[in-house]
Amino acid sequence: GNSVTQMEGPVTLSEEAFLTINCTYTATGYPSLFWYVQYPGEGLQLLLKATKADDKGSNKGFEATYRKETTSFHLEKGSVQVSDSAVYFCAQAINTPLVFGKGTRLSVIA
Amino acid sequence: GAGVSQSPRYKVAKRGQDVALRCDPISGHVSLFWYQQALGQGPEFLTYFQNEAQLDKSGLPSDRFFAERPEGSVSTLKIQRTQQEDSAVYLCASSLAFNQPQHFGDGTRLSIL
């Protein structure tokens, strides 16, 4: 079945460090891909999305590119801030409800 | 309000009790989804409505779980005879249509003692 695998956390970075959170998917067909973020005590918020191969989603300095050849959608940010500390979820959907990865907790230290 | 609203935010119940969780979607959103999020895990799909019709309930873990959306707006997720393994955060999401981005509420954290 369809699934999402993302790197396990926690990830701890210093402020202004470069961030990569890996995400790969398995699907029959070509899903839409998403990154959601969950700040402490809050619900999930859509961070960015991409709907077809080679699309790049971007928001708040975060980027992810839909790579069909490697079935990946890695999340990157060039310079993280303390306020980016949260849990990040990669997800896919192809005519179905969202299928999420297990989440990666990011802690950014000043 | 402008977002998806869920109530209560926290619910503690004794094993065997029935609970009801409420979701107020964004006005005009046709699609409504329920997810269950266990501690340290990603959300897992429970059920989906399009207006008042429950089109997919394949994720409901047992027949103790029941969801409804009688007027195509507010939805209630009911769990009968709760068990400890039902302890989780229950998330509701709504979207304009099935394949449109989903907007999530803050969730209801359910603890079964």
Side-chain angles (χ1 to χ4, degrees), chain A residues 36 38 41-44 46 49 89 95-98 100-102, chain B residues 9 35 37 40-43 45 91 98-99 101-102 104-106:
Chain A
Y36 278 82
Q38 189 172 36
E42 298 184 15
L44 289 164
L46 178 63
K49 67 171 184 172
F89 293 91
N95 294 324
T96 62
L98 290 163
F100 287 90
K102 292 186 176 182
Chain B
R9 283 296 309 273
Y35 295 85
Q37 185 177 16
Q41 302 294 314
F45 169 73
L91 297 171
F98 182 72
N99 281 332
Q102 295 179 29
F104 283 80
D106 288 344

Side-chain angles (χ1 to χ4, degrees), chain B residues 1 12-13 28 30-31 36 45 48 62-63 71 74 78 87 97:
Chain B
V12 179
V30 168
S31 300
Q36 180 190 58
F45 169 73
Y48 156 65
S62 77
D63 59 7
E71 298 178 359
V74 172
K78 298 179 180 178
S87 296

Side-chain angles (χ1 to χ4, degrees), chain A residues 52-90:
Chain A
K52 61 183 187 298
D54 299 325
D55 268 3
K56 178 185 283 188
S58 61
N59 186 25
K60 299 181 181 180
F62 291 88
E63 292 184 341
T65 301
Y66 190 142
R67 301 288 188 198
K68 187 177 67 173
E69 62 277 11
T70 54
T71 62
S72 65
F73 193 55
H74 304 323
L75 182 69
E76 296 181 337
K77 186 174 185 181
S79 177
V80 293
Q81 304 300 313
V82 172
S83 58
D84 294 326
S85 298
V87 182
Y88 292 81
F89 293 91
C90 186

Side-chain angles (χ1 to χ4, degrees), chain B residues 13-16 36-39 44 46 61-62 64-65 79-90 110-113:
Chain B
K14 293 182 179 179
R15 188 162 55 99
Q36 180 190 58
Q37 185 177 16
L39 188 64
E44 293 190 357
L46 293 176
S62 77
R64 296 185 296 102
F65 286 71
I79 310 173
Q80 298 176 323
R81 305 181 304 280
T82 52
Q83 304 293 318
Q84 282 193 322
E85 62 264 28
D86 300 335
S87 296
V89 175
Y90 290 85
L110 175 64
S111 298
I112 304 300
L113 304 179

